[in-house]
Amino acid sequence: MFHNQLKPFREDFLWGASTSAYQVEGAYQEDGKGMSVQDLHESPEGITDFKVASDHYHHMKEDVALMSELGLKAYRFSIAWTRILPDGDGEVNEKGLMFYESLIDELNKRKIEPIVTMYHFDLPLALHERGGWANRDTVDAFEKYARILFQRFGKKVRYWLTMNEQNVMINHPNAMNPGRIPTKKELYQQCHHMFVASAKATLLCHEMCPDAKIGPAPNIVAIYPETCSPSDAIAADNWESIRCWLYYDVAVYGRYTPLVWAYLEEKGYTPEMMDGDLELLAKAKPDYLGLNYYATATVSAPKNDGTDCQARNGDQQVMVGEEGVYRAAKNPYLKQTAYGWLIDPIGLRVTLRRVYDRYHLPILITENGLGTKDVLTEDGKVHDPYRIEYLENHFQQAQLAVSDGVDLIGYCPWALMDLVSTHQGYGKRYGFVYVNREEDDMKDLKRIKKDSFYWYQDVIKKNYCS
Ligand code: BGP
């Protein structure tokens, strides 16, 4: 649809930026922090681990000052569960609480809305060793952790996100399960426990912090059929429901998507539930939806001949396609990044419209951004017109979605500053702020504002992207 007049972003639009604890903080063993599954992550040869990262733990005030200079209205970050409860559900670590309290105070002082993700891929190792999310006790541990956060920060934080990309943890479990990749049956059991844990945290948040809002933050993208063949359309429906809708349907409506339940039954993956689980899921209602968007996916009908599941771009870490369900297909209309990620700004508009039509809840874009190599030039600058172009195109589509009627409350690009990319360390950078380090060489960790920093500053000032 063409609009002669575009609607503006709302006055209180949350222009933000995102990070996550284990990718940005470093200080992995400091001040009583326990080990998480990410501390056991085996990086590919020549790629950094998460021990130092961008050393935000020691640069926190400087980093918040940069956020303020950028003009951010919001900052989305995650709390490391292991700083608060080093072994997941035992003693509370006051020093961990103090770190986040000073971060939150610093943000509030500068009128930057803290948006807190409670759990971003970094399950405490002690819980993992006891079965992790497959063990029902982890639900209780999460509830205990949530209670501590709401008690301490409930008056200072208005926006909470329960879990980052639950659907990625289930569909691409490698990075969160050191030791052994669980079977699909086990993963859907983990998934059910995550749903119950999120529902408990949501109810608790509403009870303990009546002025706060809470929601999930899955990775949601529209799925296109490769052709207008009805069989491709069914495959696209299959994958969109299994990959995306399940994670909002349970959170919003408290029920498993019927198509997904049929799939789980067909495959023998149905999770065990306890009495009262479905009632609990139905009772917990999110106030808004977080949405991480990078690019759409395109799929075709399965062949069901043993070849439907394949490695994406030859990367065995990311398997796509599922036997008898869908096959991954190429989209000839889209360009890709140097790392093979598709670029689809219009897909963002499609995704936002679909999500809003389905759930009628305010949406906050909790991640979106371009990961690529950046070069620090001799004059000490980083010229990243490619990032500006990427974000500008996406912001424009977001505004078109707003003009289509979507209630979009904010946009938090990934990432505020360079941080450790899951498989590519510092080779692949996302930030508005360059962090001067390489994989093994920590250099001076100096913060350098990229060209995109100044461009975003202007967008925020004008509440507009021309
Ligand atoms: C999202 C995760 C982030 C971040 C981002 C970029 O899926 O929520 O934590 O890692 O992807 O991906 P990558 O680090 O693989 O480049």
Side-chain angles (χ1 to χ4, degrees):
M1 176 160 71
F2 284 90
H3 294 279
N4 286 325
Q5 185 77 45
L6 290 186
K7 288 200 187 116
F9 292 109
R10 39 197 288 173
E11 280 292 307
D12 56 355
F13 196 71
L14 295 169
W15 290 108
S18 282
T19 62
S20 88
Y22 77 94
Q23 291 171 287
V24 77
E25 284 176 4
Y28 85 114
Q29 277 187 317
E30 244 166 271
D31 290 341
K33 178 184 168 294
M35 297 280 275
S36 86
V37 291
Q38 296 301 337
D39 295 316
L40 248 65
H41 177 77
E42 285 181 25
S43 314
E45 184 66 28
I47 303 292
T48 184
D49 53 28
F50 300 108
K51 292 185 174 131
V52 177
S54 296
D55 203 28
H56 169 66
Y57 194 78
H58 296 116
H59 290 71
M60 186 271 283
K61 290 205 170 163
E62 179 190 348
D63 292 340
V64 178
L66 279 165
M67 294 179 214
S68 179
E69 187 183 341
L70 180 53
L72 287 192
K73 306 287 183 203
Y75 173 50
R76 177 201 177 222
F77 61 97
S78 76
I79 290 185
W81 189 338
T82 47
R83 286 202 196 279
I84 309 303
L85 293 164
D87 71 357
D89 65 356
E91 292 294 305
V92 177
N93 178 35
E94 177 60 25
K95 284 196 172 155
L97 285 167
M98 278 164 59
F99 170 70
Y100 292 109
E101 185 147 60
S102 49
L103 168 60
I104 291 166
D105 286 347
E106 201 66 21
L107 291 168
N108 282 330
K109 195 171 86 191
R110 292 173 184 271
K111 305 223 172 335
I112 301 170
E113 191 79 57
I115 301 174
V116 177
T117 312
M118 299 166 69
Y119 165 51
H120 191 127
F121 297 167
D122 52 355
L123 188 70
L125 190 58
L127 295 181
H128 174 74
E129 283 165 351
R130 281 182 260 147
W133 283 108
N135 182 345
R136 179 88 190 193
D137 292 349
T138 300
V139 174
D140 300 332
F142 189 74
E143 193 181 12
K144 173 176 173 175
Y145 166 58
R147 189 180 294 278
I148 295 165
L149 298 187
F150 298 146
Q151 230 151 29
R152 184 70 169 244
F153 307 129
K155 291 203 170 66
K156 302 180 175 192
V157 172
R158 296 195 303 164
Y159 289 88
W160 295 90
L161 294 159
T162 47
M163 293 190 188
N164 180 69
E165 295 193 345
Q166 183 180 334
N167 55 339
V168 170
M169 292 195 272
I170 301 308
N171 290 307
H172 302 292
N174 303 40
M176 298 82 188
N177 291 277
R180 182 180 72 86
I181 309 298
T183 63
K184 283 245 179 198
K185 168 92 181 152
E186 288 166 326
L187 286 165
Y188 279 105
Q189 187 63 56
Q190 289 191 10
C191 187
H192 181 69
H193 289 155
M194 290 183 198
F195 282 140
V196 175
S198 299
K200 287 193 172 199
T202 301
L203 290 170
L204 203 58
C205 178
H206 288 148
E207 184 195 313
M208 295 176 68
C209 327
D211 297 331
K213 297 179 194 308
I214 186 163
N219 179 306
I220 299 295
V221 303
I223 310 287
Y224 303 144
E226 185 183 27
T227 70
C228 50
S229 144
S231 308
D232 285 353
I234 290 284
D237 255 19
N238 289 346
W239 186 227
E240 199 165 62
S241 290
I242 295 168
R243 186 195 183 284
C244 301
W245 302 144
L246 170 67
Y247 298 86
Y248 280 154
D249 277 7
V250 176
V252 177
Y253 301 129
R255 59 164 171 72
Y256 276 71
T257 319
L259 171 59
V260 182
W261 192 257
Y263 155 84
L264 296 175
E265 282 185 328
E266 164 68 29
K267 298 276 184 182
Y269 300 157
T270 49
E272 273 176 33
M273 298 193 191
M274 275 175 51
D275 284 352
D277 278 1
L278 290 174
E279 289 72 16
L280 184 94
L281 295 175
K283 231 165 92 188
K285 302 270 179 224
D287 305 290
Y288 70 105
L289 299 175
L291 185 155
N292 290 2
Y293 173 88
Y294 288 90
T296 51
T298 301
V299 308
S300 61
K303 292 189 178 160
N304 209 22
D305 62 356
T307 64
D308 288 336
C309 180
Q310 291 176 350
R312 186 176 68 189
N313 301 332
D315 178 359
Q316 298 292 331
Q317 298 271 344
V318 189
M319 300 302 289
V320 283
E322 186 170 351
E323 198 54 25
V325 181
Y326 80 102
R327 281 176 84 85
K330 289 220 169 359
N331 186 331
Y333 299 98
L334 303 181
K335 291 192 188 138
Q336 35 180 284
T337 70
Y339 288 91
W341 287 37
L342 297 173
I343 303 177
D344 186 6
I346 297 177
L348 174 62
R349 182 181 179 190
V350 179
T351 304
L352 291 171
R353 287 159 49 130
R354 288 187 187 177
V355 170
Y356 194 64
D357 270 3
R358 223 179 141 97
Y359 303 102
H360 299 277
L361 280 172
I363 301 172
L364 173 69
I365 297 174
T366 36
E367 278 183 38
N368 167 241
L370 175 69
T372 195
K373 185 174 156 58
D374 282 320
V375 179
L376 180 61
T377 52
E378 276 181 8
D379 57 351
K381 300 212 160 122
V382 180
H383 303 298
D384 56 347
Y386 38 81
R387 183 165 294 104
I388 294 173
E389 185 191 346
Y390 178 100
L391 287 172
E392 185 162 55
N393 290 339
H394 284 79
F395 289 177
Q396 281 168 355
Q397 292 300 323
Q399 196 183 355
L400 282 163
V402 167
S403 305
D404 293 333
V406 171
D407 184 8
L408 186 66
I409 59 171
Y411 203 130
C412 299
W414 184 266
L416 169 73
M417 63 174 91
D418 294 339
L419 36 66
V420 188
S421 150
T422 322
H423 302 297
Q424 288 95 3
Y426 283 84
K428 186 184 183 194
R429 294 172 182 260
Y430 285 90
F432 293 109
V433 177
Y434 185 89
V435 175
N436 191 32
R437 63 158 285 183
E438 299 299 336
E439 302 302 330
D440 295 323
D441 183 354
M442 297 306 137
K443 297 193 165 171
D444 55 7
L445 290 160
K446 191 169 166 210
R447 276 65 175 140
I448 296 158
K449 291 167 251 173
K450 302 183 191 175
D451 288 357
S452 57
F453 180 100
Y454 298 103
W455 169 81
Y456 192 35
Q457 193 179 46
D458 197 49
V459 169
I460 299 175
K461 216 177 280 160
K462 295 192 196 135
N463 193 25
Y464 177 69
C465 170
S466 56

